[in-house]
Amino acid sequence: MQIYEELVARGLIAQVTNEDEIRTMLNEGKATFYIGFDCTADSLTAGHFMALTLMKRLQAAGNKPIALIGGGTTMIGDPSGRSDMRKMLTKEDIDHNAECFKRQMERFIDFSDGKAMMINNADWLLDLNYVELLREVGACFSVNNMLRAECYKQRMEKGLSFLEFNYMIMQSYDFYYLYQHYGCNMQFGGNDQWSNMLGGTELIRRKLGEDAHAMTITLLTDSQGNKMGKTAGNAVWLDPNKTSPYDFFQYWRNVDDADVMKCIRMLTFLPLEQIEEMDGWRDAQLNTAKEILAYELTKLVHGEEEAEKARSAAKALFGAGNASDMPETEITEADLTDGAMDIKAMLVKAGLCKSNSEARQNITQGGVMLNGEKVTDIYLAVPAETLRDGALLRRGKKNYAKIILR
């Protein structure tokens, strides 16, 4: 199976322009394509996974990726999928975030010997003269069409700033610039970016003529990607200092039953034949599928050794053993009262509950376990001896912590 057919079989493709030409170029390894990453944080998240694994697949098929760091576009902020304006970052913040992105991308993409490029759109966007830009590309954009674009609909209800309104032009200019200076003939992005991306394709056609071969593909990331990126209101980061390998493993281990095979097909590099055999798995077999998903993605991001540690720690926890590789919450003697620590205070200290009242409620409802045993006493005091050995604390089915007294 060739690469374009594999992308379709994995359920990755949402919309395309010039499908026959795209298929030929990708299958023959003749595409130079880009995906953009705005630097809104100092780490990529699980929501970027589809783009990163896609770049890895296409590079393995002989195509050349361009990882476009949005040092310029981040200064405006993409309104897509937003109900309010993004936080404005300083140039120093953006430069720092861009460097963090680079280090993480290198785990997926081979940048050696000209096999891929990493480019920052600040190199051209920040030097643009406003009047010259209006004269060069302004006539190529219809305001009526822009206002009908999906990426602006949510923001129109609360008020779309002129700053954000320019984002489509900036993103379109990126493709135009990359096409001219780097031979970039294809762009990939989330399906929610379709309007922005078509703007770039149309700009190239209008400025350089109908024979300009600029193609657009969008991926099924509009809902699934957003879902992947967050859990319980917090981002799932690729940086191990922000989301530990164990927590990263547990996030994927706890995906919904309805999503597990979709994630395996889209995000892992397991052969499609193996995935098809798993497709009929039900009930308890889905837990095995989740373990496979969690292990494969943790290995991709953090390496095989950390993936093994995370898997062993998870098994030890469920078996009420000593999960030595689980991230720890350290406490000191100052946290103790009469040589013990209140169970509610432990839950709050570990970040499993926001307050003592929430901890009390979880205990009363039977949702808290300590070292594999259900906690029923809201006044339970856990002795220092237990804490020195490491206490395994669990709230609900998906929230864990190891409490250890130092």
Side-chain angles (χ1 to χ4, degrees):
M1 183 181 293
Q2 293 185 287
I3 185 61
Y4 184 80
E5 287 69 28
E6 180 180 349
L7 297 183
V8 173
R10 289 184 180 273
L12 289 167
I13 303 299
Q15 302 182 74
V16 301
T17 62
N18 318 74
E19 183 173 26
D20 290 340
E21 192 170 3
I22 286 171
R23 179 188 293 108
T24 299
M25 293 188 70
L26 290 178
N27 287 344
E28 294 180 359
K30 295 180 179 179
T32 297
F33 68 96
Y34 95 90
I35 298 180
F37 300 83
D38 275 353
C39 314
T40 53
D42 59 0
S43 172
L44 296 166
T45 74
H48 293 105
F49 235 125
M50 198 174 292
L52 295 171
T53 55
L54 175 85
M55 296 174 90
K56 185 177 178 72
R57 293 185 210 279
L58 292 177
Q59 186 178 49
N63 299 286
K64 187 173 184 178
I66 296 176
L68 183 64
I69 301 295
T73 42
T74 306
M75 299 192 79
I76 294 177
D78 183 4
S80 300
R82 300 283 297 187
S83 59
D84 54 5
M85 196 166 76
R86 294 182 186 273
K87 176 185 176 183
M88 298 288 284
L89 300 176
T90 67
K91 185 177 183 302
E92 291 71 25
D93 289 337
I94 294 170
D95 290 343
H96 170 73
N97 294 347
E99 287 301 315
C100 295
F101 278 21
K102 288 179 182 179
R103 292 193 294 270
Q104 293 172 359
M105 287 180 182
E106 287 170 351
R107 294 196 66 92
F108 293 83
I109 306 164
D110 181 4
F111 290 98
S112 66
D113 303 322
K115 296 176 184 175
M117 290 181 283
M118 188 174 291
I119 303 172
N120 193 324
N121 64 15
D123 293 343
W124 57 86
L125 291 182
L126 298 189
D127 291 333
L128 287 173
N129 178 282
Y130 185 63
V131 174
E132 290 178 0
L133 176 67
L134 289 179
R135 287 178 61 84
E136 182 176 8
V137 305
C140 298
F141 289 86
S142 163
V143 172
N144 290 343
N145 289 340
M146 292 174 72
L147 291 176
R148 285 193 294 267
E150 189 66 32
C151 60
Y152 290 142
K153 283 185 177 178
Q154 283 185 315
R155 296 290 291 115
M156 287 293 291
E157 295 179 4
K158 291 192 174 182
L160 177 71
S161 72
F162 184 70
L163 178 71
E164 295 168 290
F165 188 63
N166 280 272
Y167 191 90
M168 182 186 290
I169 297 175
M170 296 293 97
Q171 182 171 338
S172 300
Y173 191 87
D174 281 343
F175 193 17
Y176 175 58
Y177 188 93
L178 291 171
Y179 184 94
Q180 289 185 292
H181 293 83
Y182 295 95
C184 179
N185 49 32
M186 201 174 294
Q187 58 177 336
F188 283 80
N191 200 31
D192 55 340
Q193 292 284 310
W194 181 247
S195 298
N196 282 352
M197 295 169 69
L198 283 182
T201 306
E202 178 66 12
L203 176 60
I204 292 171
R205 186 189 66 80
R206 294 191 62 175
K207 294 293 294 182
L208 302 179
E210 295 289 343
D211 294 333
H213 297 278
M215 288 148 279
T216 297
I217 303 179
T218 61
L219 306 173
L220 289 171
T221 57
D222 49 346
S223 59
Q224 187 65 27
N226 292 338
K227 189 175 183 180
M228 281 185 220
K230 297 182 179 180
T231 179
N234 297 312
V236 179
W237 306 101
L238 305 194
D239 183 344
N241 296 313
K242 297 169 77 71
T243 298
S244 71
Y246 174 81
D247 288 334
F248 188 83
F249 180 97
Q250 284 298 113
Y251 170 72
W252 295 107
R253 173 62 181 79
N254 291 309
V255 297
D256 293 340
D257 288 356
D259 293 330
V260 59
M261 292 310 305
K262 183 188 297 183
C263 289
I264 286 176
R265 185 174 284 105
M266 288 180 166
L267 304 179
T268 76
F269 288 82
L270 295 176
L272 281 169
E273 295 79 10
Q274 180 180 346
I275 296 173
E276 291 303 320
E277 292 176 4
M278 299 166 60
D279 209 28
W281 287 6
R282 297 292 182 268
D283 302 324
Q285 288 178 307
L286 285 177
N287 287 328
T288 301
K290 292 178 183 181
E291 290 175 5
I292 292 171
L293 171 68
Y295 179 82
E296 291 295 323
L297 298 190
T298 306
K299 182 172 67 173
L300 268 175
V301 175
H302 300 296
E304 188 170 2
E305 182 179 354
E306 290 298 333
E308 290 287 355
K309 287 181 180 180
R311 182 165 63 181
S312 297
K315 288 182 177 179
L317 175 63
F318 283 103
N322 181 22
S324 58
D325 293 314
M326 190 185 305
E328 299 174 352
T329 295
E330 294 187 3
I331 62 172
T332 66
E333 296 288 343
D335 295 301
L336 305 182
T337 301
D338 297 328
M341 188 171 187
D342 179 76
I343 186 67
K344 299 184 294 297
M346 285 177 59
L347 287 162
V348 174
K349 182 77 173 180
L352 299 179
C353 293
K354 296 180 180 178
S355 64
N356 280 356
S357 59
E358 183 181 335
R360 181 194 300 264
Q361 182 180 16
N362 276 272
I363 295 169
T364 303
Q365 294 173 348
V368 175
M369 298 187 74
L370 180 67
N371 290 336
E373 299 290 334
K374 183 177 289 187
V375 176
T376 58
D377 182 5
I378 61 173
Y379 299 107
L380 176 66
V382 183
E385 292 74 16
T386 300
L387 297 171
R388 287 194 181 94
D389 293 334
L392 302 181
L393 192 59
R394 173 177 169 180
R395 179 185 65 79
K397 294 182 178 180
K398 302 180 181 181
N399 303 287
Y400 312 89
K402 182 178 180 182
I403 313 295
I404 189 164
L405 177 63
R406 296 294 189 190

